[in-house]
Amino acid sequence: MNQRKIIIDCDPGQDDAVMLLMALACPDEFDILGITTVAGNVPLDLTQRNARIMCELAGRTDVQVFAGCDKPMRHELITAENVHGKTGIDGVTVYPPTMPLQDQHAVDFIIETLLGSENDSITLVPTGPLTNIGQAMARQPDILPRIKEIVLMGGAMREGGNTTPSAEFNILEDPDAAQIVMQCERPLTIVPLDVTHQALVSQKRIEQIRALDTPVGAAVVGMMEFFNRFDSDKYGSDGAPLHDPCTIAYLLEPELFEGKMCNVEIETGSPLTRGHTAVDFWGVTDKVRNANWLYKLDADGFFALLIDRLKS
Ligand code: RIB
Ligand code: CA
């Protein structure tokens, strides 16, 4: 099987952490060139630490972890400790990891790695605010032809915003970076709340993960039980939406999803609707259809895939 070269950019956060454990469990499918971290759910010093803890838990200290931008391109940082806890990964034991953080800045790593690669060779998988990706594209447009595709978690249309009435957290955090990505003219798939809100970590699914009876399974259960408490109340649902692992699931089994090519643009000016993803779902304009907007998920298939990979 030929591996897909990927760079994961994330802000762990429990759902990013589960995404990392899923990706790190797929060495045959993914050649993870690096994990870059960004400020988002919690500040950068915690997201980079949390990413390294997940690599150690997965036994994958061979993967390099980089720290990137500690705030959005223009706005002040918004964090979400109310959702993720003070550590960002409440629900697992947090400790100072022994694997090193790379000295190189994440944006420099992204630029250097892409410039040194063939065209259409590297997949970017952002699951946090898009600051690192937007900065890399703005600083060095020559990286764009090297990007095979981008599969990002962010945005919302039918589901409405989860952080303001108009906006989902990742896009709200750095709308300017998100707009740069929307305009990059590379193959782009967006995994929005419209999809991730179908991926609910129900108690039944938690019990299936607990039954793995492994350290990784126990860590995921602990994080999910913590992660569930906020969103279950907020949405009145049986479990919280498991956002970020949907990106990895899409790369592994795209047939679990349905999407359509749409024009997607980002509101960057209005204080009221900052970070809104304006999706031309019904083609009412003749604007370029720049993104594959996912809107349907086979949730049982997704969790079967997740549990199968966590088992390995
Ligand atoms: O809105 C959900 C997204 O924001 C997820 O990626 C979560 O980890 C937070 O970053
Ligand atoms: Ca995230």
Side-chain angles (χ1 to χ4, degrees), residues 77-149:
L77 180 64
I78 304 167
T79 54
E81 288 87 351
N82 59 322
V83 178
H84 299 276
K86 284 195 75 56
T87 70
I89 51 173
D90 281 29
V92 285
T93 305
V94 174
Y95 62 89
T98 50
M99 75 175 280
L101 175 72
Q102 299 302 308
D103 293 335
Q104 188 177 29
H105 191 284
V107 175
D108 295 332
F109 165 75
I110 291 167
I111 290 171
E112 182 183 282
T113 303
L114 285 167
L115 287 182
S117 302
E118 300 293 311
N119 285 352
D120 303 312
S121 64
I122 295 181
T123 298
L124 303 182
V125 187
T127 65
L130 290 161
T131 314
N132 288 340
I133 309 299
Q135 288 281 18
M137 291 180 174
R139 262 178 49 193
Q140 183 47 274
D142 289 350
I143 66 174
L144 295 178
R146 277 82 166 185
I147 299 171
K148 176 184 176 68
E149 73 177 302

Side-chain angles (χ1 to χ4, degrees), residues 10-12 15-16 41 127-128 170 244:
C10 56
D11 65 330
D15 58 323
D16 302 75
N41 286 319
T127 65
N170 288 337
D244 296 337

